[in-house]
Amino acid sequence: MDYKFTIKNRTGLTLKVNVPEAPEGEDSFDWTDKKDPHTLIHTIEILNNANSVFNLSGKMFASDPWFITNVADAAGNFIAILYTKLDGNPINEKIVINDNNNTVADGYVIVRDYQNKDTYSYTIQSSIRFLVSSDFHIKNNEDKKKQLNSLITAVENLSPAPGFYAICGDLTDNNDRDQEEIYEDFFDKIKAKTIICDGFGNHDTLRKIGDLTDVKKGVAYRNTHYRNEYLSDYKQSENDFHYSWKYMLANGSDTVNIYFFMLNNVAGYGERENDDYYQRDEANPFHALDFLKTQLGTLTDKDYYCLFFHTNFRCERLDSETSERWWTNEDKEKFYDLITQNNAHYVTSFFGHVHSTTDDGNNRVVEEFLDFNNERQIKYNPLYGYRCRCNGGDGAKYFCIVDASVADKILEIKLKPQNVNQESNGEKTDDGELYLLNHTDLIDSAKNTIARSVTLRFDIQTGKELDRIIETIKK
């Protein structure tokens, strides 16, 4: 079967396309057992309005990696990215560059339309959808397995399909081997629907006597044997735990880079252990902020970023005896300083950890502000994030849909929670709820809002957040 990519540059400039380089004297490149397609890229020039064919033969990776081509004009300016995903079978693929159909203007990004698997048509990517959950707390029982199967069905039925699914830790209930095996079975099934970006939480770090596993190592393994093949501009920490990736959104002349960072358990520097052997690593950041600081140093004032980690902003009340059990005030303040003192623009954070409901007991995505010093936070510039909370550790029953799009010099990030309908085994989802803070009065909870969705809007020329569009729930 031929895979046809059609690109036409309206400006008439020469296009440059990156393709795998064939060995000298051969017409094609054998990709068998290759681990990183990005290392096989070279650049050739395609004259506008000319037809060119490239053959890719051999067997692709079992994990079905993305093949990525970067398109630039003769001046070296970025025009588009092509993403295609090959099927893992012996192939003799063709990439055809011609001037028929599917005309693409400067600045656009193209992705394959997966709904049309025979003709492989393309759409302009001015938006990206992703999902966020946390706290599956998998146990070896039938109820948990049913939740996971229903979740797979719900994700499969989403339209448009999500580009990736971030899961912010506590994949297992207590780091048991049988629990991790159930999660890995879920992972193997759902990765056919979307790219899974998971991280570990405090329950995944527990040490005990018995059938112990190490979920952290599972996350690290998937980083080096899965995500590095799927995610664009992928970066990974030295300890293999933390990672980042990028999406470029383009709409006409409006182009935005959004970077995503999975920081796992706690967003802190270095390592932190306590005296309890069983829970020794429950608040260990494993150098998460060291990785984030390095990567943020490479970004510019034209870039945006979102964070995923486990321990939430308001994990403990400041006036409680255990206020620093999970995340110390010193580490929170260092986190705040890092986020507010770099060139790139912070969008938001997603996390889990605390399961408690809001005052009326309903399950919601809860907006929080980083709470380490109320006077400084409120006087200056509070940081906001969203807790994908779950009742009793049933995080597989819920997810938050996040739609990011760019148009008219504005980046919009829309959050809309969904409940997986268990009675329909995931064939249906029900609208969830957001618990939103009143940003002008963080102290008076009576002024907070229960909403169906919230849209964060940013001016892409200045990076400033413009406003929030709140879809309130009709009574």
Side-chain angles (χ1 to χ4, degrees):
M1 180 185 294
D2 289 347
Y3 293 75
K4 295 185 177 180
F5 303 77
T6 306
I7 306 175
K8 181 180 179 181
N9 179 12
R10 289 177 176 168
T11 66
L13 294 174
T14 299
L15 299 182
K16 290 183 179 180
V17 180
N18 290 330
V19 298
E21 182 174 6
E24 185 176 354
E26 298 183 20
D27 295 328
S28 61
F29 193 97
D30 184 354
W31 284 49
T32 305
D33 297 328
K34 299 300 179 184
K35 298 301 183 187
D36 185 358
H38 300 283
T39 65
L40 307 176
I41 298 301
H42 79 144
T43 300
I44 65 170
E45 290 191 356
I46 309 299
L47 295 177
N48 196 41
N49 299 324
N51 294 331
S52 300
V53 177
F54 308 100
N55 295 311
L56 303 177
S57 64
K59 188 172 185 293
M60 298 302 293
F61 322 126
S63 57
D64 295 343
W66 293 99
F67 171 68
I68 302 174
T69 64
N70 296 308
V71 183
D73 61 24
N77 298 315
F78 174 84
I79 291 178
I81 293 179
L82 290 179
Y83 297 88
T84 186
K85 191 177 181 185
L86 306 178
D87 61 9
N89 298 314
I91 57 173
N92 183 21
E93 306 296 348
K94 294 180 179 179
I95 298 179
V96 181
I97 312 289
N98 57 45
D99 62 350
N100 300 320
N101 307 317
N102 294 341
T103 299
V104 179
D106 288 349
Y108 280 119
V109 178
I110 311 168
V111 294
R112 189 173 76 188
D113 176 5
Y114 251 120
Q115 303 306 310
N116 193 341
K117 290 188 168 69
D118 292 326
T119 61
Y120 292 89
S121 58
Y122 293 89
T123 55
I124 303 302
Q125 185 177 346
S126 59
S127 62
I128 175 68
R129 164 171 286 189
F130 61 92
L131 309 179
V132 190
S133 289
S134 187
D135 293 80
F136 284 4
H137 286 271
I138 291 173
K139 301 176 183 178
N140 189 5
N141 60 51
E142 292 306 312
D143 185 55
K144 284 291 183 180
K145 293 176 182 178
K146 181 179 178 181
Q147 288 179 22
L148 295 171
N149 288 331
S150 295
L151 176 59
I152 293 169
T153 301
V155 171
E156 184 176 24
N157 289 339
L158 287 175
S159 180
F164 67 88
Y165 187 174
I167 307 173
C168 299
D170 279 5
L171 310 177
T172 65
D173 195 51
N174 57 12
N175 207 19
D176 271 349
R177 191 176 307 279
D178 59 352
Q179 296 170 5
E180 186 178 34
E181 288 174 353
I182 294 170
Y183 175 77
E184 289 176 344
D185 179 67
F186 159 80
F187 177 89
D188 288 340
K189 292 175 181 176
I190 201 170
K191 74 176 184 180
K193 321 300 180 186
T194 186
I195 303 171
I196 304 303
C197 299
D198 54 17
F200 57 83
N202 61 293
H203 277 254
D204 302 316
T205 67
L206 297 179
R207 307 179 184 205
K208 66 182 188 63
I209 298 173
D211 197 12
L212 182 68
T213 187
D214 193 338
V215 176
K216 304 192 307 300
K217 290 183 178 179
V219 170
Y221 180 86
R222 290 186 286 276
N223 288 344
T224 55
H225 292 80
Y226 166 71
R227 281 181 277 269
N228 64 323
E229 297 171 0
Y230 277 76
L231 297 172
S232 178
D233 200 18
Y234 179 81
K235 301 290 190 302
Q236 192 169 308
S237 64
E238 291 184 5
N239 61 15
D240 293 338
F241 292 149
H242 318 297
Y243 56 97
S244 67
W245 65 102
K246 179 184 78 173
Y247 276 86
M248 175 178 284
L249 304 183
N251 192 340
S253 61
D254 297 339
T255 303
V256 170
N257 289 324
I258 306 181
Y259 291 81
F260 300 93
F261 294 88
M262 173 56 77
L263 303 178
N264 293 285
N265 192 29
V266 185
Y269 287 103
E271 297 208 12
R272 178 190 177 202
E273 295 183 348
N274 60 36
D275 295 332
D276 185 332
Y277 180 81
Y278 179 68
Q279 302 180 108
R280 188 157 138 197
D281 289 321
E282 67 175 7
N284 195 335
F286 296 100
H287 299 277
L289 286 193
D290 303 271
F291 171 69
L292 179 62
K293 183 178 181 179
T294 298
Q295 298 307 314
L296 289 182
T298 68
L299 306 189
T300 73
D301 60 2
K302 303 299 183 184
D303 299 321
Y304 293 78
Y305 64 97
C306 295
L307 307 179
F308 305 100
F309 47 89
H310 180 66
T311 301
N312 57 308
F313 280 173
R314 308 200 76 186
C315 47
E316 293 281 354
R317 292 178 57 89
L318 289 183
D319 58 359
S320 72
E321 294 182 359
T322 58
S323 63
E324 298 188 81
R325 173 183 176 182
W326 303 106
W327 196 357
T328 67
N329 290 331
E330 179 182 359
D331 278 353
K332 284 185 179 181
E333 189 158 5
K334 288 179 179 178
F335 172 85
Y336 179 85
D337 289 339
L338 175 60
I339 299 306
T340 57
Q341 295 174 18
N342 72 88
N343 291 325
H345 304 293
Y346 172 80
V347 175
T348 195
S349 296
F350 297 94
F351 33 68
H353 187 54
V354 171
H355 300 174
S356 62
T357 59
T358 45
D359 294 340
D360 58 8
N362 288 327
N363 296 311
R364 298 194 176 101
V365 171
V366 179
E367 186 178 52
E368 298 183 352
F369 71 96
L370 184 64
D371 191 357
F372 63 85
N373 181 322
N374 280 336
E375 182 178 353
R376 180 181 176 190
Q377 286 293 102
I378 294 173
K379 182 178 179 180
Y380 294 99
N381 182 26
L383 293 179
Y384 297 96
Y386 294 89
R387 174 162 55 93
C388 301
R389 64 144 324 279
C390 57
N391 188 18
D394 284 337
K397 290 184 177 181
Y398 323 95
F399 54 78
C400 185
I401 296 175
V402 185
D403 288 306
S405 61
V406 61
D408 300 325
K409 309 299 180 188
I410 294 175
L411 170 65
E412 293 191 346
I413 311 288
K414 181 178 181 179
L415 285 68
K416 186 173 184 179
Q418 292 287 288
N419 300 326
V420 178
N421 189 303
Q422 299 297 309
E423 293 181 1
S424 70
N425 295 319
E427 292 290 342
K428 298 179 181 179
T429 58
D430 305 315
D431 288 337
E433 297 179 352
L434 282 152
Y435 185 72
L436 300 176
L437 301 173
N438 185 314
H439 286 196
T440 61
D441 190 347
L442 292 174
I443 301 301
D444 188 354
S445 61
K447 297 181 180 180
N448 296 341
T449 303
I450 300 174
R452 186 71 69 214
S453 70
V454 61
T455 302
L456 315 178
R457 293 171 13 107
F458 298 84
D459 182 333
I460 66 172
Q461 294 179 310
T462 65
K464 301 295 185 183
E465 184 172 354
L466 298 172
D467 52 23
R468 301 191 303 166
I469 300 174
I470 299 174
E471 179 190 1
T472 57
I473 296 175
K474 295 181 180 179
K475 301 298 184 180

